Amino acid sequence: SGKTFTQYFTINTPGGSITLQDSLIVSNSSAFTITLGTFNAATYNVTLSGAAGAISSSNTGIRTIAVGTGTWTIASSGSAWNVNTSTNLTVTGTGTISLTSASAKTFAGGSVSYSGITLNQGGAGALTITGNNTFANITNTYSATGATTISLGNSTQSVANFTASGTAGNVLTI
């Protein structure tokens, strides 16, 4: 309830789940790791900031990231969303994952279906999307001070809606 956590978080609940009862704000220099079990944001927002305040889930344990219906704001640069291993990983929800760093950042999706989720390029730093993922929408809400980039690299993204745009002087490069 309005409190900011500065501790490192690891969800490690074999066969169990953690469900938020309010918004979660974490500001630290380590990743938010989901190793086993389910992390369910329900209807709440998740805000991760700090040098490496990122999502990490790159093992083969049975795990679920339930994004829910809220907005996940991830302000870290580098590997902002790192789920390179998709084995036994399920991602659910209809919310938004907004990557807001002013520095370059990567969404390493792990070739998972994010079919109900919107991925938002919300910061000045270039966004690189890796893995062959499926999204409900890719958007771009950053246009404040200049150009930005969304790079799909050598991967295939299946997107129901692509609503990213730039403006004169604030070009969006894809």
Side-chain angles (χ1 to χ4, degrees):
S1 181
K3 302 293 183 193
T4 299
F5 291 89
T6 58
Q7 296 78 16
Y8 177 79
F9 273 86
T10 297
I11 305 300
N12 190 4
T13 59
S17 66
I18 304 294
T19 302
L20 291 182
Q21 299 298 307
D22 202 347
S23 293
L24 176 65
I25 303 168
V26 179
S27 177
N28 66 22
S29 60
S30 298
F32 185 102
T33 303
I34 301 164
T35 305
L36 289 167
T38 298
F39 176 76
N40 185 353
T43 61
Y44 301 105
N45 296 331
V46 174
T47 302
L48 305 174
S49 62
I55 292 294
S56 177
S57 186
S58 294
N59 62 336
T60 59
I62 298 171
R63 62 223 189 278
T64 299
I65 302 172
V67 172
T69 58
T71 298
W72 290 42
T73 304
I74 304 172
S76 67
S77 58
S79 295
W81 186 276
N82 183 15
V83 294
N84 285 322
T85 304
S86 61
T87 303
N88 296 320
L89 173 66
T90 303
V91 179
T92 64
T94 58
T96 299
I97 299 169
S98 186
L99 305 180
T100 61
S101 176
S103 300
K105 59 228 170 240
T106 300
F107 183 94
S111 299
V112 171
S113 175
Y114 299 84
S115 62
I117 296 169
T118 296
L119 177 62
N120 178 51
Q121 160 57 316
L127 169 61
T128 300
I129 304 170
T130 65
N132 300 315
N133 311 294
T134 300
F135 296 99
N137 196 2
I138 294 179
T139 62
N140 172 49
T141 57
Y142 177 81
S143 64
T145 60
T148 191
T149 301
I150 297 175
S151 173
L152 305 176
N154 294 325
S155 58
T156 300
Q157 307 306 318
S158 298
V159 183
N161 295 296
F162 198 102
T163 54
S165 63
T167 60
N170 298 317
V171 177
L172 170 63
T173 302
I174 300 172

